[in-house]
Structure formats: C-alpha cells, structure tokens
Amino acid sequence: MDRRTFIKTGAGAGIIAASGGLSAPALSQGAAAKTLRFVPQANLANFDPIWGTQYVVRNAAALVWDTLYGVDSTLTPQRQMVESEEVSADGRTWTFKLRPGLKFHDGSPVLAKDCVQSLIRWSFRDPMGLMIKAIQEEIVAIDDRSFRWKLTKPYPKMLLALGKNNAPCTFIMPERIARTDPFQQISEYIGSGPMKFVRNEWVPGARAVFEKFADYVPRSEPASWLAGGKRMLVDRIEWVIMPDPATASAALQNGEIDWWENPIADLVPVLRRNRNIRVDIGDPLGNIGAFRLNHLHPPFNDVRARRAILMALDQEEFMRAIVGSDDSLWKPLPGFFTPGTPLYTEEGGEILKGRRDIEGAKRLLAESGYKGEPVTMVVAQDQPVTKAQGDVANELLKRIGMNVDFVATDWGTTGQRRALKTPPAQGGWNIFFSWHAGADCTNPAGYTAIRANGDRAWFGWPDVPAVETEVTAWFEAKNLAEEKAAIARLNKAALDNVVFVPPGFFLTYTAWRSNVTGITKGPLPFFWDVAKA
C-alpha cells in the first residue's frame, strides 16, 4: 500500500494515533464553546518572531504581539497601534503617535521607547528594515506616546515596511525584551496583542496555549487581515500539534479539534463527505515552493551546479507530490512572482520550460567541478510541503549524479539548522525546502527570499548584484510600467544566477467544524472574529 492510499484509508476509518488520541482535559459545555482547538501547520518549536522567518512562529506571534500598522486584504497598510503619523515635506522625517491606553500583558503601558527598541531589533533581521537602517539618521522617542524616525533620504514604502504580513513583522515588545541581541532568541513572551501566551502550558511538540487579554482595546474599524479591530470571540485558543495528517483528519471528524490549518489534498474528499466539516482554499494567492540552495559552500557556490538543477527539474513532479492529482491546485512557475498579480513575469524562464535535460544537467554539474562529494539535504518530515519536495528532489539529484546526504528531521530543527553558515560537514547544510505565501511574493518589498545581498540575504546567502540593482530600480520606479520592467529584469537575473529554485505554484486547503464561524481567507490564520457555537 502506498503512502497516499494508507493516509486516505486511515483517515476515512477515523483512526486516531496509537497513543489513543488527544491528551487533554475534559471541558464543560460553556468552556468548550469558548475554547478553540486548532491544528497548526507545524510545531511551535521556538517563539521569537524577529529571530527567524518561519510562518508558524509568525502566525502565533500575530496573536501575542501587535504591530504599528497592518496590511488589509488589499495589501494596503492601515494604522494599528498608531493613532497618527506625519511625514516632513522632504520625505525624510516620520513622526508617529501611538493610540492611548495600549498595555502589555504584564500590565505596563506601551511606550514610544518600546517601539523604538523593537524597530531597532527588527531592522537588523528584515530586508526592508535593513534598507531603512542604511539611510537612518536617528530613531528616538519624543515622549511616552510619540517617536521620530529621521532618514538621510526619503523611503516611500515606510508604512508597508511597518505593516507587512511577511516575517519578520514589526511586532512591538517591551523595551527590556527588545534589547535582546537580534541574532539570539528571546526567552520572555510579553506582547500587547489580543491574546496572551500561556508559557507554563507550552509543550513544544504537543501544545501551545493562548488566553484572551482582557485589557486589549481593538480598533473600531472592521477587521481585515492584520488591520482593523482584532475582536476575540473565544477566551482560549489551544494549538494541538499533529504532524500526522490521518490523525488530524480523524480528530477533526470526531470533533476533538475545531480547525485544521492545512489538510493535505488527499484527505479533502474524505473531509467533504462529513456534513459537520467545511473545507475551502485557505488563500487564493496560494504559495510558491522553495528549493533553497546554500551559495556559500560547494557545490552550489558555483552557478553551473545551481543551473544544472533548473535544467533537470520537472515542476509537475514536485507539484503533484504536494497537491496530488487535482490540476486546479497548481501551476508551472517559470519565475518567482505570484501568478495573476500585476507584476507577474516569465522573463528569463525558458530554462524551466520544455523537456527536461538530464544529460545536459550532468554535463553542467561536471563542469562546475563537482566530483561526488556528499550534498547535505535537510528535509522536515512533519511538514507535508517540505517532505514532498524533499522526496522528489532526492530522486532528481541522484539522477543527475549527486551523492545525497538525506537528513530527515522536523521543521523546528530545520529552522535552527538553516541559520548556520558553517560547512555541511560541520553541521551546516547544502539544501533545505520551504514555501512562500503568494501574498509575500507579489513584489520585492516583503519578498525576503528573492533578495541577493550576501550576508544580509535570507538563508542561502546569495550574492547577486544584478538582482539587487533591479530591486532598487523597483523601489525607485515612478509608475507601473517602470515597476514591471524592473521586475522582468529581476526575474531574469534571479533565474540566470539561481537565487533559489522555484518548484512551482500551489494552493492549499483549510478545514473546520461547521459550528465554527468567521474564518477568513488569507496568508495566515486570522483568529479575530472567529466564534464557536
């Protein structure tokens, strides 16, 4: 019996894990209605939303920490913690004033100095933050509710930087916590968001718990993604970690959980047959796969080795491994930007089209100087998306003559290991797999993975000046035509130099019990306005 058949059979039979199912206290009827039990995409192994970029951390952080601005469903930044802002006539000085009455979970007021220190820490780790930091003259608190950010030249996309949804977001922490070295993880989780993190109930690999923050005052506007009034209609949210899809499917069917963030496509027909379950596409903007290569070490420090993979890679193989046989759930992607959005382009994408050239890839790999050295491929097994990509890539690399050191691990460990720049033989890596929400890939502003600025780039650390030139050209574009031209050149430069390998575009599902209302489509699970009957 193959893996897909086994999962379908187990889920259809309602099999719970051999351990006997969920281990949780029984809840009274009233408490159950105010407790939402949610299965996230992965284990919450660490909880510093600035130190790393894992979506599961960002998603949890959006409950605990608030942001100065938040993008709405049109990707427009709206005020969140901020009451007002002023920008000088020359565009170089921004002055922000906070809403009154903001509090942290420990009861202390949110002050301008907390925002200043939080932004300083964020600016060391975020591509847009690094751009602002490079032109920063000063960032200072003026009084308890106001702070000033003075630049040496205008930065027109300031509000997008402060409100974007891709990680790391500008989550505001108390000053004492925000003083933590940006390259070290925080150990205290105090925010001012609508939910408090229940530290003493956190069991990595099993459970994370959030409780309603009574002193949170939502904005008056309707909620829209990270903007507007974040009104919590449940008192408690329990994240239940279930890496096995069949177990999660059975738990949802049995009513032991209320919402499953990302059911695999194979199980959707089973779930749809249950009248008590609703299933829908989680985010119409979808996702872009990421086959990430380490540019620092052989063999992928040579562009010929990187291009060999593009020559041989069959995107259909990768996408079918992720979504199954439903052709409506995936598209080939000869580039890096989200299909159907204004800046989408296929410029330079010929290498990903047409018949795959295995023999040509072998020759190019040999020209790069590769002589059979182990290639360390780190593959998270508890993420269906990463496991699927890893399984297909393993066979692909062997076909073109690579000696694969397949490291099967979990997503939390992958997040730790991919940050290491040491050689693979000393605990580093050559390849890992991820994915990027389509909402993050509509333009270069928040697209961390497309940047190629060396040590300041995302994991893999590509150094491609031609890419960075076009990123700058896009930021400086005066109209949509100039933006499109810059993105076309950027796409070609990124493919020519293989910043990373895009295995394709795909959609994923989300599923919930029919007594749960208020679930909104988007790039992360939005818990505000979600209620449970």
Side-chain angles (χ1 to χ4, degrees):
M1 183 182 293
D2 63 30
R3 171 180 169 272
R4 290 188 184 278
T5 304
F6 177 79
I7 289 176
K8 290 178 183 177
T9 304
I15 295 174
I16 288 290
S19 61
L22 299 176
S23 176
L27 298 172
S28 68
Q29 185 172 352
K34 287 294 186 178
T35 299
L36 186 76
R37 308 198 75 193
F38 173 77
V39 175
Q41 59 182 249
N43 175 33
L44 187 66
N46 65 77
F47 198 23
D48 185 338
I50 304 302
W51 176 84
T53 59
Q54 288 183 313
Y55 284 145
V56 67
V57 178
R58 185 271 316 268
N59 298 351
L63 287 168
V64 175
W65 289 280
D66 217 341
T67 52
L68 298 172
Y69 294 80
V71 293
D72 62 18
S73 60
T74 68
L75 295 175
T76 303
Q78 307 289 352
R79 295 169 184 159
Q80 192 57 33
M81 297 175 74
V82 163
E83 179 181 83
S84 63
E85 70 286 325
E86 294 180 5
V87 59
S88 62
D90 63 5
R92 292 172 47 196
T93 302
W94 291 80
T95 304
F96 302 92
K97 186 174 184 179
L98 296 173
R99 286 198 288 148
L102 299 177
K103 289 183 181 180
F104 285 116
H105 299 154
D106 61 4
S108 62
V110 177
L111 304 175
K113 65 179 184 179
D114 302 306
C115 300
V116 166
Q117 191 59 48
S118 295
L119 291 172
I120 289 172
R121 186 170 189 259
W122 164 81
S123 69
F124 277 90
R125 299 306 306 257
D126 182 80
M128 295 185 80
L130 286 165
M131 294 178 75
I132 299 171
K133 187 171 178 290
I135 58 173
Q136 175 180 302
E137 187 172 309
E138 67 171 2
I139 178 169
V140 294
I142 301 170
D143 55 37
D144 283 352
R145 286 180 55 199
S146 303
F147 67 95
R148 179 175 62 243
W149 211 340
K150 191 172 183 180
L151 311 176
T152 59
K153 66 177 185 179
Y155 190 76
K157 292 182 170 59
M158 173 66 83
L159 299 187
L160 180 58
L162 299 181
K164 65 186 179 62
N165 59 266
N166 72 292
C169 305
T170 55
F171 293 118
I172 301 303
M173 304 176 177
E175 181 187 35
R176 69 180 188 280
I177 301 174
R179 287 192 179 278
T180 304
D181 184 324
F183 296 92
Q184 301 292 326
Q185 293 187 44
I186 61 173
S187 57
E188 190 178 1
Y189 311 109
I190 303 296
S192 64
M195 302 291 282
K196 298 187 294 184
F197 186 57
V198 185
R199 175 70 180 271
N200 63 355
E201 293 192 50
W202 182 27
V203 183
R207 181 177 64 250
V209 177
F210 309 85
E211 290 183 346
K212 188 174 182 179
F213 179 37
D215 289 339
Y216 182 77
V217 180
R219 294 189 68 91
S220 60
E221 304 92 342
S224 178
W225 284 18
L226 293 177
K230 298 175 181 177
R231 293 171 178 82
M232 301 307 304
L233 305 181
V234 296
D235 294 336
R236 180 178 168 97
I237 298 173
E238 297 179 359
W239 282 29
V240 185
I241 312 305
M242 290 186 175
D244 176 56
T247 302
S249 173
L252 185 64
Q253 293 177 73
N254 292 338
E256 297 177 62
I257 60 170
D258 303 301
W259 182 5
W260 182 11
E261 181 180 358
N262 60 339
I264 61 174
D266 290 342
L267 296 179
V268 166
V270 174
L271 298 176
R272 281 182 168 156
R273 288 197 292 269
N274 189 318
R275 65 178 183 176
N276 296 314
I277 293 173
R278 303 290 179 263
V279 182
D280 203 351
I281 296 297
D283 180 7
L285 287 176
N287 306 272
I288 292 174
F291 184 150
R292 196 74 183 180
L293 308 173
N294 192 331
H295 290 232
L296 298 183
H297 305 293
F300 300 121
N301 60 340
D302 190 302
V303 68
R304 291 169 294 186
R306 302 195 299 269
R307 286 183 65 81
I309 294 178
L310 289 187
M311 291 177 68
L313 179 136
D314 184 339
Q315 291 188 327
E316 183 173 350
E317 287 184 2
F318 279 81
M319 292 299 95
R320 289 197 183 283
I322 293 173
V323 304
S325 59
D326 188 344
D327 287 339
S328 70
L329 294 179
W330 73 276
K331 293 179 181 179
L333 186 69
F336 298 95
F337 293 91
T338 307
T341 59
L343 298 180
Y344 176 73
T345 178
E346 298 183 4
E347 185 71 23
E350 291 76 16
I351 194 170
L352 282 168
K353 299 177 181 180
R355 186 173 180 178
R356 303 292 77 207
D357 188 355
I358 298 297
E359 294 306 313
K362 289 179 179 179
R363 289 193 297 271
L364 197 57
L365 188 59
E367 290 173 15
S368 76
Y370 178 72
K371 293 182 173 60
E373 299 87 350
V375 174
T376 300
M377 189 166 72
V378 181
V379 185
Q381 302 294 294
D382 56 344
Q383 283 278 18
V385 171
T386 59
K387 184 182 187 305
Q389 291 181 90
D391 288 345
V392 177
N394 188 34
E395 296 304 315
L396 168 67
L397 296 182
K398 289 177 179 177
R399 287 204 298 271
I400 65 174
M402 282 192 164
N403 175 16
V404 180
D405 172 22
F406 190 103
V407 180
T409 185
D410 60 88
W411 187 231
T413 302
T414 300
Q416 300 277 349
R417 186 162 180 174
R418 70 185 184 179
L420 300 176
K421 293 183 177 180
T422 51
Q426 298 175 27
W429 57 278
N430 293 115
I431 298 169
F432 78 88
F433 301 91
S434 185
W435 73 98
H436 306 292
D440 295 352
C441 307
T442 60
N443 62 57
Y447 197 167
T448 305
I450 200 64
R451 299 300 299 274
N453 47 349
D455 284 345
R456 296 179 297 168
W458 201 53
F459 311 113
W461 307 282
D463 188 353
V464 184
V467 167
E468 289 301 299
T469 295
E470 301 309 335
V471 170
T472 301
W474 177 81
F475 271 97
E476 294 178 349
K478 297 179 178 61
N479 52 54
L480 182 58
E482 289 186 7
E483 287 190 26
K484 287 184 174 181
I487 293 303
R489 296 191 301 267
L490 191 161
N491 197 71
K492 184 177 188 306
L495 282 169
D496 286 348
N497 294 277
V498 198
V499 169
F500 72 93
V501 177
F505 170 87
F506 62 96
L507 298 168
T508 56
Y509 289 104
T510 193
W512 63 96
R513 300 283 298 181
S514 57
N515 65 327
V516 176
T517 59
I519 291 175
T520 303
K521 294 184 179 184
L524 63 148
F526 300 110
F527 292 92
W528 25 95
D529 290 338
V530 173
K532 181 181 171 184

